[in-house]
Amino acid sequence: MSHPLEVLRTVFGYDRFRGAQAEIIDHVIGGGDALVLMPTGGGKSLCYQVPALCRPGLGVVVSPLIALMQDQVSALRQLGVKAAALNSSLSYGQQVEIERQMRAGEIDMVYVAPERLMTDAFLIQLERCRLALFAIDEAHCVSQWGHDFRPEYLQLATLHTRFPEVPRIALTATADSPTRREIVEKLSLAGGRQFVAGFDRPNIRYRVAAKTSSARNQLLSFLKREHPGDAGIVYRLSRSKVEETAAWLCDQGIDALPYHAGLDKTVRAENQERFLNEDGVVMVATIAFGMGIDKPDVRFVAHLDLPKSIEAYYQETGRAGRDGLPADAWMVYGMQDVARLRQMVEDGDAPEVKKRLEHRKLDALLGYCETTRCRRQVLLEYFGDVGQPCGNCDTCLEPVESFDGTVAAQKALSCVYRTGQRFGAGHLIDVLTGADSERIRQLGHDKLSTFGIGREFAKEEWRSIFRQLVAAGLLRVDIEGHGSLGLTEACRAVLRGEKDLSLRRDVGRRKAGSRSPRQRDTIGEPADEALFQALRAQRLAIAREIGVPPYVIFHDATLLEMARRKPQDEAQLALLSGVGKAKLERYGEAFIAVIRGFC
Ligand code: ADP
Ligand code: ZN
């Protein structure tokens, strides 16, 4: 049996295991069952790939999506691992051949969908193979409560009875404790060990800012200033917004593509292909896009509309920076977003209890948006982790000033009350700042006691105050979607002066996109940017030639290492992280030639 560290170094080209990987791998090689919870990008795949290579026999990997399988299989093949995927895209003859290779012990790993795995015919095939392990990827699919429930996953429990000697390792990035219990129960994993890694994604920088009158210009300056030529995802709430934003970005010279469930299937597949196979495509998408996207070099995830909950936000932003290099989670939001989401919840046909839960989840997200604390701390606490202020989010980098907002809040709340709880922030701010307008006079609002009592703040500042009052649950946005604001029970204490309120001073700071571009690599010597680009071009040329995504050849992190250390021969190249034996043989020469050309 090969030694895991040996496999890690020669096959994958990495120096050491990360976090709990070594422990998990030892446990599975020893024949134990395991449930592994790790954030996206944490390195789950190695936890079953290394044991599958160390233990004699075939590793069977259950995966819910064909796209995901093919990605993994082509990456493994580039590493010189004998891997195959069995799915409906193969011809009968190809399937028979793979099954023969499985029996003959000619392949190390096979990826298969749960539907196929659990057919009698396939299980009988497996009984004739020597098996190293079963890996159950995206294990949260067994959970009925989760959003990705796959009924076929439930049958996977019988693997345990049918192959009691074969260790099983279930893996997921998204499992709160009820889901975790469900996975253990449904997969009969109670006898195994649980490995729970922290949920932190330290390389992602979280930023949230207020929408200005032109959110798309905010986005454009963020892209131009900080991510020229980078791949990223822009999330929008509706299909029409996706199309509109993608078209507009194209007009501005950005290589943007739309993706949503309403697009023709072939167009969708083509756009996804381009996103995966080319460097620097920006995908503008609804939440229909993302599940099963394992592209490691997504440099930013931008939200131009609010997601529905912190869970959704964390999952979506988690698609950035899987390769561990710096990445941005960037969001702008405004009160209109809140109104729209509230209305969507109300219009949905979920039972009342569920709707209440969804409103509460949105509240938690608003609390996150308006926090004066470290954003990462707020996120991690939400998932039950604790952490220190991170130094890599907007509130850590530019601490937010806060002020005693009790009087301002009282003025705003009274104004809502005196105008009959029928108006949106725009009109309320006009009343507070004493605007001289036809509408105000018509409504007689210039006669109100709250008219003109808020001149100490500019309109923009009032906007921020109203947003914070909504986030704090003192005001609610009406659910008919007109954006009018009403009082809540909770605002009484503030109105009566029984409770002080601290508010963030927003205006003049938080200009999302005002930061200078970040270096790609923050540690060590700066890489030679021109060489890095030349290496990328070489990678793209090879990828095109053999028809795989560029990151399957080498990750950006490895190219950056090359650009920094400038290895002159294969021996030096072999020392870099991400350069295993197979890749050295296949591509070593081509990349060294580029480096030599620069020296
Ligand atoms: P997950 O499935 O948990 O989202 P992956 O298994 O795709 O994460 O791994 C994320 C990235 O980290 C991959 O690019 C992988 O090659 C890299 N990686 C994983 N383990 C290590 C390690 N021990 N050393 C260096 N890179 C690693
Ligand atoms: Zn922070």
Side-chain angles (χ1 to χ4, degrees):
M1 196 150 61
S2 338
H3 194 271
L5 201 55
E6 183 69 25
V7 169
L8 182 76
R9 291 188 174 149
T10 54
V11 178
F12 295 90
Y14 296 138
D15 268 355
R16 57 186 75 86
F17 287 111
R18 264 191 205 158
Q21 279 176 337
E23 212 187 334
I24 297 165
I25 288 167
D26 280 345
H27 178 74
V28 176
I29 290 180
D33 292 338
L35 170 60
V36 172
L37 268 98
M38 248 186 219
T40 310
K44 284 185 289 298
S45 327
L46 283 188
C47 295
Y48 61 84
Q49 289 169 347
V50 173
L53 295 176
C54 289
R55 283 175 65 91
L58 174 72
V60 180
V61 185
V62 187
S63 173
L65 290 165
I66 294 185
L68 209 84
M69 287 182 203
Q70 268 155 357
D71 231 40
Q72 294 258 6
V73 168
S74 50
L76 283 169
R77 288 203 182 136
Q78 290 304 315
L79 295 167
V81 174
K82 286 167 272 165
L86 269 173
N87 57 50
S88 48
S89 72
L90 299 180
S91 71
Y92 180 70
Q94 288 170 315
Q95 292 179 28
V96 171
E97 171 57 15
I98 291 176
E99 290 179 0
R100 185 198 65 73
Q101 293 174 346
M102 284 165 47
R103 285 194 307 275
E106 289 170 13
I107 42 182
D108 301 313
M109 245 177 277
V110 65
Y111 283 71
V112 56
E115 297 85 336
R116 172 183 299 260
L117 174 64
M118 297 317 293
T119 57
D120 264 335
F122 194 75
L123 290 170
I124 290 168
Q125 291 283 346
L126 285 185
E127 277 168 353
R128 296 160 67 188
C129 301
R130 180 161 194 198
L131 296 179
L133 57 81
F134 288 109
I136 299 160
D137 207 5
E138 313 287 347
H140 58 275
C141 291
V142 297
S143 168
Q144 316 235 27
W145 300 111
H147 44 291
D148 299 329
F149 177 56
R150 297 274 296 243
E152 317 80 46
Y153 261 69
L154 292 176
Q155 298 163 22
L156 295 173
T158 58
L159 288 175
H160 182 45
T161 32
R162 199 145 172 172
F163 303 92
E165 305 297 310
V166 182
R168 293 165 305 145
I169 170 171
L171 310 103
T172 175
T174 47
D176 42 48
S177 46
T179 311
R180 203 183 309 170
R181 277 196 296 277
E182 227 184 328
I183 296 173
V184 169
E185 180 201 332
K186 300 267 167 64
L187 294 178
S188 321
L189 279 171
R193 261 185 74 181
Q194 288 189 32
F195 298 87
V196 182
F199 274 80
D200 191 14
R201 298 289 310 281
N203 61 317
I204 298 182
R205 177 175 291 178
Y206 298 98
R207 292 150 67 184
V208 182
K211 261 186 197 175
T212 64
S213 51
S214 175
R216 61 188 196 181
N217 278 319
Q218 287 175 287
L219 173 69
L220 185 66
S221 69
F222 166 68
L223 295 181
K224 289 207 156 152
R225 193 186 276 269
E226 300 187 43
H227 292 285
D230 283 344
I233 307 173
V234 177
Y235 279 113
R236 301 240 50 177
L237 198 55
S238 68
R239 296 172 184 189
S240 58
K241 284 272 176 356
V242 163
E243 307 233 356
E244 194 184 295
T245 308
W248 185 80
L249 285 176
C250 285
D251 288 344
Q252 310 303 312
I254 306 276
D255 191 3
L257 293 172
Y259 190 104
H260 58 71
L263 284 175
D264 181 62
K265 221 173 131 192
T266 49
V267 176
R268 239 185 311 157
E270 265 169 34
N271 289 359
Q272 173 162 330
E273 279 298 276
R274 278 204 53 209
F275 179 70
L276 293 177
N277 290 339
E278 293 175 26
D279 285 327
V281 173
V282 173
M283 191 67 111
V284 185
T286 61
I287 51 170
F289 181 74
M291 167 80 164
I293 298 297
D294 259 348
K295 188 176 166 64
D297 55 358
V298 174
R299 293 269 66 85
F300 65 88
V301 169
H303 280 91
L304 229 47
D305 293 303
L306 271 183
K308 293 190 175 67
S309 62
I310 289 188
E311 287 92 334
Y313 172 75
Y314 206 63
Q315 191 173 38
E316 286 150 28
T317 55
R319 293 175 183 138
R322 277 168 186 262
D323 55 10
L325 295 177
D328 280 302
W330 180 96
M331 173 158 83
V332 288
Y333 94 106
M335 199 102 81
Q336 275 309 314
D337 290 325
V338 183
R340 202 171 312 124
L341 279 175
R342 294 266 189 238
Q343 185 195 3
M344 279 173 66
V345 171
E346 279 312 302
D347 292 350
D349 42 19
E352 210 44 49
V353 216
K354 181 108 194 289
K355 285 186 181 174
R356 234 177 299 143
L357 181 71
E358 286 176 15
H359 283 303
R360 278 213 304 278
K361 290 195 162 186
L362 184 54
D363 292 340
L365 181 73
L366 293 177
Y368 166 79
C369 292
E370 293 296 342
T371 189
T372 52
R373 301 176 52 214
C374 165
R375 294 202 190 274
R376 192 177 315 270
Q377 272 186 313
V378 174
L379 290 171
L380 292 179
E381 278 168 20
Y382 185 81
F383 294 112
D385 270 8
V386 278
Q388 296 296 309
C390 71
N392 193 26
C393 70
D394 53 3
T395 51
C396 279
L397 290 164
E398 294 174 75
V400 188
E401 224 181 289
S402 53
F403 68 101
D404 182 349
T406 316
V407 173
Q410 286 169 341
K411 289 179 180 177
L413 297 171
S414 328
C415 190
V416 171
Y417 180 72
R418 305 250 173 238
T419 51
Q421 310 190 49
R422 290 186 293 122
F423 297 92
H427 181 74
L428 293 164
I429 292 169
D430 281 349
V431 175
L432 283 165
T433 53
D436 177 25
S437 82
E438 184 63 36
R439 182 143 186 264
I440 297 235
R441 279 193 300 275
Q442 248 171 23
L443 290 159
H445 285 172
D446 52 340
K447 306 284 183 318
L448 295 175
S449 61
T450 50
F451 181 76
I453 60 166
R455 291 194 172 100
E456 71 273 34
F457 293 115
K459 287 191 174 195
E460 193 75 359
E461 293 172 294
W462 275 117
R463 276 206 177 275
S464 156
I465 293 167
F466 273 103
R467 244 185 357 253
Q468 295 183 64
L469 294 175
V470 170
L474 301 173
L475 283 176
R476 92 185 109 65
V477 181
D478 80 321
I479 39 200
E480 275 83 55
H482 309 304
S484 63
L485 295 169
L487 301 178
T488 66
E489 204 45 43
C491 78
R492 280 173 197 243
V494 175
L495 274 174
R496 285 205 215 101
E498 293 161 10
K499 197 180 153 209
D500 289 345
L501 198 68
S502 166
L503 295 177
R504 58 184 289 158
R505 199 183 294 284
D506 265 334
V507 177
R509 61 179 301 282
R510 292 212 289 173
K511 283 196 220 88
S514 65
R515 188 176 303 285
S516 57
R518 253 198 304 169
Q519 274 190 317
R520 271 177 225 285
D521 46 338
T522 42
I523 19 169
E525 276 183 37
D528 183 329
E529 178 69 21
L531 175 53
F532 175 64
Q533 294 305 340
L535 292 166
R536 270 183 135 184
Q538 174 69 286
R539 176 179 67 178
L540 189 61
I542 299 176
R544 287 244 164 93
E545 197 182 305
I546 57 181
V548 297
Y551 53 82
V552 163
I553 313 275
F554 283 123
H555 279 182
D556 280 356
T558 305
L559 297 190
L560 279 170
E561 275 289 292
M562 291 185 202
R564 192 183 298 135
R565 309 249 296 259
K566 305 192 175 72
Q568 299 292 314
D569 53 36
E570 296 205 353
Q572 288 177 9
L573 183 61
L575 297 175
L576 304 189
S577 175
V579 185
K581 226 170 114 200
K583 288 191 177 172
L584 189 66
E585 275 164 23
R586 280 179 214 179
Y587 311 122
E589 231 170 282
F591 284 87
I592 286 169
V594 174
I595 296 166
R596 286 226 185 100
F598 260 78
C599 293

